[in-house]
Amino acid sequence: MDLLDLQKLSDLDFEGLCKDMLERLLGVRLEIFSSGPDGGIDLRYYAPNRTIIIQCKHWMKSGRAKLIAHLFDSELPKLDQMKPRPMRYILATSVEMTPAAKEKILDGFRPYIQSTGDIYGLAEITSFLQNNPEVVRKNMRLWLNDATILEAMISKNVIQRSLHLADDIKETLRTYVPSANLRKAMNLVEKNHVVLVSGPPGVGKTTLAQVICAHYADRGFEVVEVSENVEDVYRVWHDGEQQIFIYDDFLGQTSLDDKLHKNEDSRLLSLIRRIRKDSTKRFVCTTREYVLQQARQRYERMDRGDLDPLTFTVDINVLGREERAQILYNHVYWSEWPASVKRHFSNPDVYRPIIRHGNFNPRAIADLLSAPFEPDLGEPGTQVVAALDDPMGLWRHVFDHQLKESDRDVLRLLFTFGGKVDLSVLGKAYLAFTNRGLSHFKASLRILNGTLIRLFDEGARSYVEFSNPSVNDFMLVKFSEESDLIVKVLKNPFSFDQVALLWSYHDAPVDAGLPARLDLIPFQEEVEEAAMATVERDDAATHSRAGRVAVCLGIAGSMHVPSVENWAMRRLKQPGFVYRGSTGDIIALIRVTHGSANRRIRQLHDSVRLEGLTSLFNRDRGNYGLFIAASHAMDLAEFVDDGIREDLCRQADEMFEALLEQYSRDPDDVDSDMIDHGLDYILRYGELWQHKWPSAATLLEGWLPEGVEIFEGSDEESDVDPEYIDGDAYLTMNSLSFLE
């Protein structure tokens, strides 16, 4: 146990730790008090002829000399005035105590302190924790610097991004408050090895996922962050080793965009099945609820995969009054706001409107309290309430009043790349977008890094991304409100990705639940010019040629952009162009040419369909290629000739029956990839697979979950009028009134 662990505890955390420790050492149950009228008492044991008073002093930053002076000047007079006087006084402090310091305190506090054994300094507390790991686990904040956890997070072969995750988790654990949400999500992980955490923005999906990872890291699991796609998992997968993979916003931050390109949906479902059968692996994904619903509508596999039993939706309503108060307390305590400002939150008139707010949102509170305090914006509590009334108000104020134009341009450009981009690409885009040099760009990065953006490395490449999805949401709203930003990007484009991103927010489904949409219709000429200026630039786009054609066809189907339309059609007419596209690109091209409102584009559908399906049905010559081909035939049933589809499915059915027979004879002799692809194929039959292959249930028993245990939510609020007493919430918040 690192001696510095206690520095990560708040005053309230330290009192709770001392309570757990001394209850074990004394063998009694202790009462815990808020600082205030009962000054001098943090913990107490009361019985006839035996009263023990315990004072907890978390003074690591102040030091031993100041602590001793405070004890004699402030605490000793309180003891002398107590009626009745305590029979025993115990001091617990996070300060390192020397033998001489203990003797000095003992001499001054007689007869209350009976021996130096009643003075617990840093060494004694640390020694107790080393011998009582269950107390460490109960006090979650103590995990922060635990060597076991950090070694698990940064151990061999873990991608560099996971190093940043370790830092993020340490910050998360400082302020996290366990709730029914954690218990329910942990139940799913324990039962199924997989959980998909969903919910609206700001309710704590990422926080919950990180706490789950910390729990498993404490059990010896290696923690790996997935950044791009499921291939990240396979690159660091080690059979037989305990690993937990976290995939934040696995479907995208605000829209699907290209997240499930290149057959990613199939590979994701295959990975989930594999992890569910492996006791050494865990998988935690997060997504916004509306993006998950969008994926189910657009990708048949995601819908058929029956992800509902694996999905946990974070419910902010399970947070009771006390849990909300603890969340507020933790963020206030650890903020950089002045102590005089923090003390305001101990007033019930200040904290009640916050913890009872209908839009109570941990992220909005965290965002505000992580920024410097600005008195001009009003009283502290008023600022927090305003942040809950308008969660984007914080970013609006920062963006409009605290940043220079060069800083704002970096954020604008980062938004047009989907909130994450290669650092060198962003720098080149900055030069195209502004008339400033790279020195301004680098200066803005230094200002923004750690607040609105973060810089990180993956392998040999450096990246920039928004530090928080809410920043991306704000920038979308900003672009929707200020159409001149759209025009400026379209007149100064660097990459086709920027055009595709703006188009995705124009073309998104009406029910996508986005905070805003972009109307590009008034800017048809600018869209056309920007697309044509960048569409041939292979070095500046993540979209493949076929992917760019699909986007251009979508634009041409809604706008009059003749040059874009002609470019896309010329590409499609090139021999083998569709055939060489990726799986996702081919499917996109088939669908866009079929559903286009543009007659010329629809006329290309038959040739695109024929060439695309031929490629999909023949590209994989491996042992399980037939399963893949038949799966495509079922996924694209409306575009496939009935005879061809039936023939492919018949052959795939026969192959699966042979696989079942082989499995029944010798399960260990069956290739696991064959099983995965076979199961992925038969699940396309919906409920019919159970009638066609009833014995397949043995294979699927690790994939099809049983009912999920339901936990009760938090207790109802006390019937006592909260205008007069807030119970434990008062105890928590009142502790802020005595901050140094």
Side-chain angles (χ1 to χ4, degrees), residues 106-158:
L106 175 63
D107 290 342
F109 276 71
R110 295 183 189 274
Y112 307 116
I113 297 181
Q114 299 173 0
S115 72
T116 55
D118 281 346
I119 302 174
Y120 292 84
L122 180 60
E124 288 80 16
I125 295 175
T126 300
S127 176
F128 172 83
L129 294 175
Q130 289 173 332
N131 295 311
N132 294 271
E134 65 279 6
V135 176
V136 176
R137 289 185 173 85
K138 181 178 179 182
N139 291 267
M140 186 171 58
R141 241 70 71 183
L142 288 172
W143 298 359
L144 292 174
N145 284 330
D146 189 281
T148 302
I149 292 178
L150 290 184
E151 287 175 6
M153 290 180 180
I154 62 176
S155 57
K156 54 191 177 304
N157 298 324
V158 179

Side-chain angles (χ1 to χ4, degrees), residues 147-290:
T148 302
I149 292 178
L150 290 184
E151 287 175 6
M153 290 180 180
I154 62 176
S155 57
K156 54 191 177 304
N157 298 324
V158 179
I159 56 177
Q160 283 181 287
R161 190 175 175 88
S162 295
L163 296 172
H164 301 281
L165 175 64
D167 292 333
D168 289 345
I169 290 178
K170 287 194 291 184
E171 288 302 311
T172 292
L173 289 177
R174 281 211 306 187
T175 56
Y176 184 73
V177 175
S179 69
N181 283 320
L182 177 61
R183 295 194 297 273
K184 293 178 182 179
M186 283 299 305
N187 178 264
L188 283 181
V189 180
E190 284 293 293
K191 186 180 185 66
N192 303 309
H193 302 171
V194 177
V195 64
L196 277 60
V197 181
S198 71
V203 296
K205 299 182 295 296
T206 299
T207 296
L208 180 62
Q210 290 179 351
V211 173
I212 291 173
C213 286
H215 169 80
Y216 279 98
D218 184 55
R219 290 169 52 179
F221 278 69
E222 176 185 76
V223 180
V224 181
E225 183 171 21
V226 182
S227 59
E228 292 293 339
N229 52 52
V230 297
E231 287 304 311
D232 285 347
V233 174
Y234 291 114
R235 278 195 288 269
V236 296
W237 182 287
H238 297 287
D239 287 333
E241 294 188 12
Q242 292 184 317
Q243 294 175 293
I244 180 168
F245 306 96
I246 177 173
Y247 196 173
D248 200 19
D249 281 317
F250 78 109
L251 296 175
Q253 287 192 347
T254 50
S255 65
L256 283 175
D257 195 26
D258 295 319
K259 268 287 189 177
L260 295 185
H261 246 32
K262 302 180 181 179
N263 218 29
E264 176 78 352
D265 54 337
S266 177
R267 290 187 294 171
L268 179 65
L269 293 175
S270 178
L271 174 65
I272 287 174
R273 285 197 297 273
R274 182 174 180 180
I275 290 177
R276 296 201 64 203
K277 294 182 287 185
D278 192 328
S279 62
T280 67
K281 301 294 184 283
R282 300 292 187 270
F283 192 29
V284 183
C285 303
T286 73
T287 182
R288 300 188 179 195
E289 181 64 25
Y290 62 78

Side-chain angles (χ1 to χ4, degrees), residues 6 10 89 103 122 147-148 161 172 284 354 363 396 408 415-416 421 452 454 462 477 479 519 648 672 724:
L6 298 186
S10 69
Y89 182 85
E103 289 291 344
L122 180 60
T148 302
R161 190 175 175 88
T172 292
V284 183
I354 298 172
R363 181 195 289 162
R396 190 180 303 278
R408 289 191 278 265
F415 167 75
T416 66
V421 67
L452 292 155
R454 70 172 180 174
S462 298
V477 172
F479 267 73
D519 181 11
L648 281 172
S672 60
Y724 297 99

Side-chain angles (χ1 to χ4, degrees), residues 91 102 205 245 307 438 443 498 515 552 671 675 699 715:
L91 172 67
K102 285 190 174 186
K205 299 182 295 296
F245 306 96
L307 298 178
L438 281 178
Q498 296 173 279
C552 286
D671 182 84
I675 292 177
L699 283 171
D715 294 333

